[in-house]
Amino acid sequence: MQMKWAKFVAIFLVFSVLSHFAFMYSHPYLVVIFSYFASKEEVKVNEVYHQKPIDASFRKVVMPSPDILYSACVFDISNTDLLIEAKVPDFTYWSASFYSPSTDNFYTINDRMINGSLSLILTTNKSCSSDKCVISPSARGIVIFRIFIPDKSMIPVLEDFQRSIRCTPWVNFNIKSNTIY
């Protein structure tokens, strides 16, 4: 009887440990999948989605900041690279953060690194040596743009910056010479 009980406990512990590791490994991917389906109606791949200023009624994301304008570009660069462009404000914080499907942040750029305008090529081509290239570890992911709202009266000006964000397919890249045209 005791041997049966010990066998049951051992099987239960092995199953529990394996389940735990399976959940921990798959959780970031499940977050991305669920967020994709939750926003599928309004967000298209390789296009920018601009979120209006957030108030207390916003429920799509848990605890977003009402002091930030958000934009996002869900990308798929399996067939072509992506040109990411934006006019960026020089008077307030802004950032662009690049995430893989596992929610790993693989690149971030912000107001301390660039002024005036942003122009980057998102690619999986590891031989790209241009300073404009951002090498993605995967063909799919998301870029999240954030613009800090220092004063609510500045929202119309900041929305102009927000609307300037572009994610467009980019085919003008010569792989042999690493030249961007």
Side-chain angles (χ1 to χ4, degrees):
M1 179 76 169
Q2 206 169 20
M3 192 64 160
K4 264 186 167 178
W5 181 250
K7 187 176 180 181
F8 172 76
V9 169
I11 290 171
F12 178 78
L13 287 175
V14 168
F15 178 75
S16 297
V17 168
L18 291 175
S19 296
H20 172 74
F21 284 118
F23 176 77
M24 295 304 290
Y25 176 77
S26 65
H27 183 261
Y29 296 98
L30 293 173
V31 168
V32 171
I33 289 168
F34 285 124
S35 66
Y36 171 76
F37 286 114
S39 60
K40 192 173 184 179
E41 306 256 329
E42 46 195 44
V43 178
K44 294 182 174 79
V45 174
N46 293 345
E47 291 184 18
V48 178
Y49 168 76
H50 303 296
Q51 177 61 48
K52 296 287 181 197
I54 293 171
D55 61 18
S57 66
F58 187 79
R59 295 287 179 246
K60 291 182 183 177
V61 178
V62 178
M63 298 181 63
S65 173
D67 296 332
I68 293 181
L69 282 176
Y70 294 94
S71 295
C73 175
V74 175
F75 66 83
D76 181 352
I77 54 174
S78 55
N79 296 324
T80 183
D81 295 335
L82 202 62
L83 174 63
I84 298 172
E85 297 178 298
K87 288 187 288 182
V88 293
D90 59 1
F91 55 87
T92 189
Y93 170 81
W94 67 267
S95 71
S97 298
F98 296 69
Y99 296 92
S100 68
S102 61
T103 67
D104 291 330
N105 177 237
F106 63 88
Y107 186 79
T108 298
I109 191 165
N110 61 38
D111 60 310
R112 294 182 179 190
M113 303 162 86
I114 198 167
N115 282 322
S117 65
L118 172 69
S119 180
L120 297 171
I121 306 295
L122 183 60
T123 183
T124 56
N125 177 9
K126 293 181 179 167
S127 65
C128 180
S129 60
S130 170
D131 60 345
K132 288 185 174 244
C133 287
V134 174
I135 311 297
S136 176
S138 61
R140 292 185 178 90
I142 187 168
V143 182
I144 298 177
F145 302 89
R146 297 172 184 92
I147 303 173
F148 178 66
I149 306 169
D151 185 329
K152 298 289 183 201
S153 67
M154 298 179 82
I155 288 176
V157 173
L158 296 172
E159 284 178 325
D160 287 341
F161 284 106
Q162 184 185 37
R163 283 189 293 273
S164 78
I165 300 169
R166 300 275 182 264
C167 291
T168 53
W170 180 256
V171 292
N172 295 327
F173 180 72
N174 184 332
I175 293 174
K176 292 181 182 174
S177 66
N178 283 329
T179 305
I180 297 172
Y181 300 103

